[in-house]
Amino acid sequence: MEEKQLGLDLKEIIEASLDARDERISLQEFHSRVVNAGLRRDVIEEISRTKREPEWMLKLRLKGLELFEKLPTPNWLPDVLAGLDISSMNLYVKPNTGTARNWDEVPNEIRNYYDELGIIKSEQDYLAGLVAQFESEPIYENVKKELEKKGVIMLSMESAVQKYPDLVKEYYMRIFPPSDHKFAALHAALSSGGVFVYVPKNVRLVTPIEGFFVIGTPQEAQFEHTLIVADENSSIHFIEGCSAPRLSKDSFHDGMVELYAKRNARIKFTTIQNWSKNVINFNNKRAWADENATIEWVEGSLGAKVSLVYPSTILRGEGATSTSLVVTMAGSPGDWKDSGSKMIHSAPNTKSKVVNKNIGFNGGVNVYRGLIRVNKGATAARAYVKCDSLMLDDITKAYTFPHNEVMEEDADVAHEAHTLRMNEEQLFYLKVRGIDEKEATSMLVLGFIDDIMRELPFEYATMLNQVIKLELEKLGAVA
Amino acid sequence: MSELKIENLTVEVEGKVILRNVNLSVKQGEIHALMGPNGSGKTSLSLAIMGHQKYKIREGRILLDGEDITNLEPNEKVKRGLFLAFQNPVEIDSIKLSTLLVAEYNAFYGERTTPLEVLNYVKSSVKNVGLTESILNRGVFQGFSGGEKKRIEMAQMLLLKPKISILDEPDSGVDVDGLKIIADAINKLKVENNTGYIIITHYRRILDYVNPDLVHVLNKGTVVASGGKELARLIDEKGYEAVIKN
């Protein structure tokens, strides 16, 4: 399917989000009501009550809390996350506004913030739909009329739970159950906001839909949940953008994405994560792919101090395919970018491809933990993993922990890993062609991730390009 | 009138002196041939002039139009009108040739030209050396033949129109047709742009196409002889021994 040429320069979004990060936009005093910090049963009950949730949702939250207390902290986490005191954070921050379908109904100070990020304009110009979240709650949701006519549902998770409780219940946290690990359980307990999308049978969307998430309060914890169900023979491209201004204290993001592509359906899910440096990002992403369905993950994990993201696909149906292209960048001391895709082959003739590219400098750390599993019965599975690290200086580190579990003999599982340093002769060549060192470096770095850039819509590639260039400005600033 | 002056240049690599007290002066519009046996320091001289970090300048200086450019960054030297065509340029498969040529054009001329115009210049620079546009879509030198590499180096020279150009063995590994195209590019820029040249070569062949004003012979890091075209003929007939033994 050809993607329609996007009309607007998304560069503006990224510029504005960078502006916000660098505190060039004055941080406004947002009126918000913070439910008492503390991870207690009564706090969770109050959140559920405020949202007027059905009984099953409250039960799921309480089960999440119970599991969170019971499950051990994963032993491979970096110290900063293992030592995080969740209960001291603002677990639920309700902006003083409801969810609008029209930007005029959104309070000025919040609307201005989104306006400065360029999101309002990009929605007008090329998005088929948008849900915007501020703090813990969606403040805006809208989907273009023609999509509504085709039966496409795109709502904030809160509205979806109210309007389509049965549909949501059928899929919500089935793909990624709370029992999976401690932070999935925490997410279940505190989930708030996010997007629900349902694409009916045979509906193929050509323009992307976007969800944009902003953290505005220091020490906030955000737990948005995105659930996309693409029914048989349908297709959708969902773009997820994240931003936070530089706040005084660390914030925590424990979001979840569940995708379900039914027979012959295709879901492409693109994330440009550009949180400010004091956000700790733990993302839970998992997809189901039924017979001949396709799941494509594209992830640019650029911002945040610590980011952990592992896009995973369970290839449940015969002939299902999944790709995962991930770029991570760690460019400051203390930066820890942990990533890795998981492909679980559970049916015959399934295919997966993982390309992971790490860029490190100024003492940043990149870690790859990937898994390819071919279950018994998943005959003729094919999996390919390529994992490259580019380190621009000697104080930077990259670790690779690939893991294969193959239960079928005829599986074809290939793994390639390369660790690269900046090539001095290439750099010299570019300089002798009149290109200065910074420009030459960014040309080589962008060349390194070229196969991922090519997968992005033009505007997003431009934006990624720009973020990387700006980050590279800091190259050598520490040493 | 532009002039590249190399004064008393002594260069070390990893603590070892590889060029000693080299003096050379090239004016715009002049063609100097630099010859010498393998390992005599010809390529080292070209890289040291451009500012390769491996080559430490221990003594002497490099002047362009009277300005001391000894310690400038390579790209600054290029901006002032110096050019080097590499003997064996490094492959950069992650960057497309078109991306490189556009970037260097913009770096050199500033971004005052529209992207479309730049692309036209880039395309014609490739055609001027007898190659087809499709080569622009390949990675820089990725899988190029020896001849294609030399031609692309020449294409870049035509694009940047330097005042003084150093060509490191532009003729090695090139067939007769290629040699003619390379010589044409050299002559074209000499006439149109009054470019001055240092042409490093082992063979008299190319000097039959481009007419050198002076021939220098380098041996063990030192210029041991300078003279007219007849010096090249002498080397061709009797080998380097004929000029080095004195």
Side-chain angles (χ1 to χ4, degrees):
Chain A
M1 186 189 64
E2 273 301 299
E3 209 137 68
K4 216 159 102 182
Q5 185 63 34
L6 305 182
L8 172 89
D9 195 357
L10 250 178
K11 230 164 90 183
E12 288 170 27
I13 293 187
I14 207 63
E15 271 168 4
S17 96
L18 286 164
D19 280 352
R21 248 173 48 155
D22 298 346
E23 289 176 293
R24 271 174 272 165
I25 296 175
S26 67
L27 242 191
Q28 320 226 15
E29 275 300 309
F30 298 110
H31 307 288
S32 54
R33 188 167 69 87
V34 181
V35 170
N36 262 343
L39 195 51
R40 295 189 314 268
R41 189 184 168 94
D42 60 313
V43 172
I44 284 162
E45 281 168 348
E46 193 184 335
I47 291 172
S48 188
R49 201 160 37 241
T50 313
K51 292 174 179 289
R52 293 180 288 118
E53 287 176 350
E55 184 67 18
W56 65 264
M57 194 112 183
L58 174 63
K59 276 190 178 153
L60 191 66
R61 288 183 185 278
L62 293 173
K63 178 147 181 266
L65 176 64
E66 193 190 317
L67 285 164
F68 175 74
E69 283 161 355
K70 216 156 58 186
L71 291 169
T73 303
N75 59 8
W76 45 266
L77 291 178
D79 293 345
V80 62
L81 196 53
L84 197 68
D85 182 8
I86 304 288
S87 62
S88 71
M89 304 198 101
N90 298 320
L91 297 177
Y92 176 72
V93 185
K94 185 175 175 17
N96 194 13
T97 173
T99 306
R101 281 185 68 100
N102 184 325
W103 283 105
D104 292 339
E105 297 161 21
V106 176
N108 277 337
E109 68 274 19
I110 297 178
R111 188 179 63 227
N112 288 345
Y113 189 85
Y114 275 88
D115 200 19
E116 285 184 76
L117 286 170
I119 292 174
I120 298 176
K121 191 171 181 319
S122 75
E123 183 206 359
Q124 280 170 2
D125 289 359
Y126 80 91
L127 291 174
L130 172 72
V131 168
Q133 173 156 346
F134 192 75
E135 319 286 23
S136 303
E137 291 287 339
I139 48 112
Y140 179 85
E141 60 186 18
N142 197 11
V143 57
K144 297 243 161 92
K145 289 267 182 311
E146 56 265 34
L147 297 191
E148 262 179 2
K149 276 185 206 150
K150 287 178 180 167
V152 175
I153 299 169
M154 173 168 175
L155 289 169
S156 68
M157 193 53 77
E158 275 67 13
S159 307
V161 168
Q162 299 300 327
K163 287 187 187 158
Y164 304 95
D166 297 337
L167 192 60
V168 175
K169 190 185 173 189
E170 199 180 332
Y171 303 105
Y172 187 83
M173 290 204 85
R174 293 243 344 252
I175 298 158
F176 210 130
S179 55
D180 231 69
H181 61 73
K182 198 175 181 71
F183 290 99
L186 182 68
H187 176 89
L190 295 165
S191 179
S192 185
V195 185
F196 175 78
V197 182
Y198 173 78
V199 190
K201 280 181 189 172
N202 304 319
V203 172
R204 305 184 83 84
L205 302 179
V206 287
T207 41
I209 282 182
E210 176 160 339
F212 204 93
F213 306 102
V214 171
I215 292 178
T217 306
Q219 268 201 303
E220 180 185 336
Q222 196 180 55
F223 301 90
E224 96 290 337
H225 192 107
T226 297
L227 172 56
I228 299 174
V229 179
D231 216 326
E232 294 182 3
N233 203 32
S234 70
S235 85
I236 178 177
H237 182 186
F238 189 91
I239 301 172
E240 182 187 51
C242 319
S243 173
R246 190 173 283 280
L247 301 164
S248 53
K249 286 182 175 160
D250 285 355
S251 291
F252 179 53
H253 177 253
D254 181 11
M256 186 174 281
V257 174
E258 295 182 287
L259 308 180
Y260 187 10
K262 298 195 176 180
R263 198 167 58 84
N264 286 331
R266 170 184 173 267
I267 302 177
K268 180 168 182 175
F269 195 92
T270 300
T271 303
I272 302 295
Q273 182 271 102
N274 194 28
W275 297 114
S276 69
K277 282 291 177 218
N278 46 6
V279 171
I280 295 165
N281 179 46
F282 191 111
N283 220 313
N284 308 282
K285 290 185 160 155
R286 190 174 298 168
W288 281 354
D290 281 357
E291 189 188 336
N292 290 325
T294 305
I295 297 284
E296 297 172 54
W297 299 101
V298 180
E299 172 99 24
S301 184
L302 306 172
K305 179 163 74 183
V306 174
S307 178
L308 302 97
V309 57
Y310 316 97
S312 308
T313 304
I314 299 168
L315 300 145
R316 320 186 326 152
E318 178 155 10
T321 304
S322 184
T323 58
S324 178
L325 310 176
V326 179
V327 180
T328 70
M329 183 167 64
S332 311
D335 269 17
W336 184 293
K337 297 296 163 62
D338 213 296
S339 71
S341 305
K342 291 179 186 145
M343 295 291 177
I344 316 294
H345 294 255
S346 296
N349 297 313
T350 44
K351 290 195 291 281
S352 68
K353 179 176 149 185
V354 173
V355 177
N356 205 93
K357 302 255 179 177
N358 304 324
I359 305 161
F361 51 96
N362 285 347
V365 177
N366 281 299
V367 185
Y368 174 82
R369 298 172 216 274
L371 172 69
I372 299 290
R373 194 163 80 206
V374 177
N375 287 342
K376 195 82 198 136
T379 51
R382 270 184 288 164
Y384 170 73
V385 178
K386 183 177 176 180
C387 177
D388 293 344
S389 301
L390 176 65
M391 284 179 275
L392 303 184
D393 56 34
D394 295 334
I395 51 172
T396 294
K397 292 186 172 68
Y399 305 99
T400 306
F401 306 108
H403 197 61
N404 293 342
E405 295 169 10
V406 181
M407 312 296 176
E408 280 295 345
E409 275 183 11
D410 68 350
D412 182 359
V413 179
H415 180 90
E416 235 184 277
H418 305 278
T419 300
L420 310 158
R421 298 270 169 193
M422 190 48 90
N423 183 320
E424 293 296 335
E425 291 308 318
Q426 293 180 342
L427 203 55
F428 178 67
Y429 186 86
L430 296 178
K431 282 156 85 176
V432 170
R433 291 293 167 255
I435 299 160
D436 68 39
E437 177 144 0
K438 277 194 170 148
E439 178 70 19
T441 304
S442 59
M443 281 174 76
L444 289 169
V445 170
L446 292 170
F448 170 71
I449 57 167
D450 187 54
D451 38 0
I452 288 174
M453 296 291 250
R454 268 183 270 146
E455 286 300 314
L456 294 172
F458 177 72
E459 275 74 6
Y460 279 82
T462 312
M463 156 174 145
L464 197 67
N465 189 321
Q466 202 184 359
V467 174
I468 289 172
K469 278 189 175 176
L470 279 161
E471 282 295 315
L472 285 171
E473 294 278 304
K474 291 185 238 152
L475 176 61
V478 179
Chain B
M1 171 82 67
S2 269
E3 183 179 20
L4 174 69
K5 269 185 113 153
I6 293 151
E7 290 183 353
N8 206 27
L9 203 67
T10 296
V11 176
E12 270 181 26
V13 172
E14 290 157 2
K16 192 178 162 221
V17 174
I18 51 148
L19 291 168
R20 200 183 296 276
N21 304 334
V22 173
N23 288 288
L24 203 61
S25 174
V26 182
K27 290 194 176 69
Q28 258 189 301
E30 293 178 352
I31 296 184
H32 293 236
L34 183 63
M35 304 182 77
N38 290 329
S40 58
K42 303 185 298 296
T43 296
S44 297
L45 179 62
S46 72
L47 295 173
I49 292 171
M50 294 315 292
H52 193 297
Q53 58 178 13
K54 208 173 107 188
Y55 298 84
K56 311 276 185 226
I57 295 174
R58 289 292 168 234
E59 224 183 296
R61 51 183 197 157
I62 303 159
L63 303 169
L64 185 64
D65 302 344
E67 183 196 1
D68 186 343
I69 61 163
T70 315
N71 296 312
L72 286 185
E73 282 289 306
N75 51 298
E76 289 299 327
K77 294 178 178 181
V78 173
K79 271 192 186 151
R80 284 163 175 74
L82 212 51
F83 184 85
L84 169 65
F86 288 76
Q87 185 187 138
N88 190 17
V90 61
E91 281 189 27
I92 314 178
D93 53 9
S94 61
I95 297 177
K96 274 207 303 191
L97 183 61
S98 58
T99 307
L100 168 69
L101 298 190
V102 168
E104 71 185 68
Y105 187 95
N106 286 334
F108 191 79
Y109 294 102
E111 297 192 6
R112 59 180 173 210
T113 327
T114 67
L116 200 65
E117 282 175 300
V118 176
L119 205 61
N120 284 334
Y121 289 133
V122 162
K123 283 178 181 170
S124 57
S125 75
V126 170
K127 284 189 213 149
N128 280 339
V129 293
L131 296 171
T132 53
E133 277 178 28
S134 64
I135 201 165
L136 289 166
N137 290 322
R138 291 163 63 184
V140 175
F141 301 123
Q142 189 183 13
F144 285 25
S145 70
E148 283 172 333
K149 286 183 184 172
K150 303 285 185 188
R151 290 191 198 198
I152 289 300
E153 290 294 272
M154 286 298 113
Q156 295 181 84
M157 181 179 82
L158 293 174
L159 199 61
L160 302 186
K161 297 186 173 63
K163 293 176 187 164
I164 305 290
S165 181
I166 305 166
L167 311 178
D168 190 358
E169 298 194 14
D171 49 352
S172 65
V174 175
D175 61 22
V176 184
D177 294 346
L179 188 65
K180 177 86 173 52
I181 280 168
I182 286 163
D184 284 349
I186 295 170
N187 290 324
K188 179 180 153 77
L189 219 51
K190 181 178 186 295
V191 172
E192 290 175 8
N193 193 55
N194 201 24
T195 297
Y197 291 95
I198 299 174
I199 301 177
I200 298 171
T201 182
H202 276 296
Y203 309 104
R204 210 189 66 191
R205 212 161 55 125
I206 192 166
L207 303 179
D208 291 336
Y209 291 96
V210 297
N211 207 10
D213 299 286
L214 275 171
V215 176
H216 311 278
V217 179
L218 200 63
N219 187 43
K220 295 178 181 162
T222 310
V223 178
V224 292
S226 291
K229 205 179 168 181
E230 69 283 356
L231 200 54
R233 190 169 300 124
L234 183 65
I235 292 166
D236 205 35
E237 285 163 8
K238 300 195 171 165
Y240 284 114
E241 282 175 20
V243 282
I244 290 170
K245 63 178 184 211
N246 303 320

